[in-house]
Amino acid sequence: MNTIITDKTYKKLVIQVALNGFSFCIVDTLSDRTKMLKNIHFDAFQRSANISDLFSSVFNGNPELVEKYDEIMIVHSNNLSTFVPVALFDEDYLGSYLQYNTKVFDTDFFTFDKLEKYEMNNVYIPYVNMNNFFIDKFGSFEYKHANSTLVSKLLDVSKNNDERKMFVHLSESHFEIVVIQNQKLHFFNSFDYKTPEDFIYYILFTAEQLQLNPEVFKLEILGSCTENDTYYSIAYKYIRNVQLFAISNAQNDFSVAENREHFILLHS
């Protein structure tokens, strides 16, 4: 990256990649405000294409992606991650931490993000083919997993709150359940789903295992969800205290709904 002060652009590019989409935002690092946000959804036909061809078409259609930036962050969004306390962590056995909640192969590449403030690491499998594309485009960049941002930011906002609270982050094909109490992570898992019934089943099952009473505990939903969604409605039917995640002190001019949907991208 540029290090000579006269070459600095004071801009940061953050790209969030998944199998079903490509989102990016541009941050003015002087004011720490996000100036641009764009979300590109891949349909089933596009997902069958070669990643290099698909991403090349995105870059060709968005000239902002080829401008100069002081920092570039790639955020990998998938459900191939797990959190490990530092006391139980051994970098030589990364694959072993994931084998209990996902199918792993000898050819998989494993890496991890450090959440030093919370004394744990997020072990995950990044999209290697996507990283290879970005190496060709940018040369150098940093990357991390979406759940590292999600969990660390939710832990931050739980400070001095002694209630155990459940957060659900909803994506198109999977969702994460995070249970937190005063900056302590009590539970994290990611679930594939297809129907509202799948969605509420995993929430209620998790609540039962953690002895959280649906009449008492608080559930906050973020990601791709509004109060008009069937997923919100079914949660509201079975859980007394449900609300959309409250957005405060947003460093941008985007809507509350956009900030909630792109919470991970905008905090990376």
Side-chain angles (χ1 to χ4, degrees):
M1 294 300 165
N2 295 331
T3 54
I4 302 173
I5 194 166
T6 54
D7 291 335
K8 287 181 71 68
T9 64
Y10 301 100
K11 294 192 300 181
K12 175 183 178 181
L13 174 66
V14 184
I15 300 175
Q16 185 171 346
V17 289
L19 294 178
N20 59 2
F22 185 115
S23 304
F24 69 92
C25 66
I26 298 171
V27 181
D28 180 329
T29 57
L30 284 176
S31 63
D32 196 29
R33 292 187 67 83
T34 303
K35 299 296 187 181
M36 179 182 182
L37 169 66
K38 190 162 187 180
N39 183 44
I40 301 160
H41 184 267
F42 300 146
D43 60 31
F45 176 76
Q46 289 173 308
R47 293 176 210 175
S48 65
N50 177 279
I51 285 294
S52 181
D53 293 338
L54 181 58
F55 280 16
S56 290
S57 67
V58 172
F59 271 69
N60 290 337
N62 295 275
E64 304 89 356
L65 292 169
V66 295
E67 294 178 5
K68 287 187 176 181
Y69 295 94
D70 297 332
E71 303 173 60
I72 297 172
M73 172 64 73
I74 308 299
V75 181
H76 292 265
S77 182
N78 59 33
N79 57 356
L80 307 175
S81 76
T82 192
F83 290 87
V84 182
V86 168
L88 302 176
F89 182 76
D90 188 330
E91 192 172 348
D92 293 329
Y93 297 96
L94 297 183
S96 65
Y97 299 117
L98 283 168
Q99 66 183 357
Y100 299 106
N101 60 0
T102 190
K103 193 171 184 178
V104 299
F105 301 93
D106 292 338
T107 54
D108 285 334
F109 173 72
F110 305 98
T111 188
F112 65 97
D113 296 332
K114 295 180 180 179
L115 281 69
E116 294 180 350
K117 180 179 178 180
Y118 296 109
E119 298 183 341
M120 61 184 176
N121 297 321
N122 181 18
V123 180
Y124 64 99
I125 302 174
Y127 295 114
V128 175
N129 54 345
M130 297 182 186
N131 270 356
N132 289 339
F133 174 86
F134 292 124
I135 289 172
D136 290 339
K137 282 291 181 181
F138 300 128
S140 62
F141 55 88
E142 295 184 18
Y143 68 91
K144 64 180 176 180
H145 196 275
N147 290 337
S148 299
T149 296
L150 175 66
V151 169
S152 63
K153 292 302 176 182
L154 293 179
L155 285 167
D156 288 347
V157 301
S158 74
K159 187 176 181 179
N160 297 326
N161 188 340
D162 287 326
E163 281 187 293
R164 272 198 302 169
K165 184 182 290 188
M166 180 184 291
F167 299 90
V168 169
H169 183 274
L170 191 62
S171 301
E172 182 178 323
S173 60
H174 61 89
F175 67 94
E176 284 69 47
I177 296 180
V178 188
V179 179
I180 289 172
Q181 180 180 26
N182 196 4
Q183 297 193 300
K184 299 293 184 183
L185 180 63
H186 284 238
F187 179 89
F188 171 87
N189 208 347
S190 186
F191 301 92
D192 292 328
Y193 76 101
K194 293 183 179 179
T195 67
E197 290 73 25
D198 294 338
F199 177 69
I200 194 63
Y201 169 80
Y202 288 121
I203 291 175
L204 292 175
F205 179 77
T206 299
E208 181 183 22
Q209 297 303 304
L210 297 178
Q211 298 181 323
L212 291 168
N213 186 342
E215 292 291 319
V216 178
F217 83 87
K218 293 181 180 178
L219 169 63
E220 294 192 22
I221 303 175
L222 65 161
S224 303
C225 187
T226 69
E227 289 185 347
N228 298 320
D229 286 350
T230 54
Y231 295 97
Y232 184 89
S233 297
I234 200 167
Y236 190 78
K237 179 179 179 181
Y238 289 97
I239 299 168
R240 180 175 294 275
N241 298 300
V242 180
Q243 66 181 44
L244 297 177
F245 181 80
I247 298 295
S248 60
N249 302 318
Q251 298 295 303
N252 57 66
D253 296 320
F254 310 126
S255 69
V256 170
E258 287 175 313
N259 273 277
R260 191 179 294 116
E261 179 179 357
H262 299 288
F263 179 82
I264 292 172
L265 177 69
L266 292 170
H267 286 85
S268 293

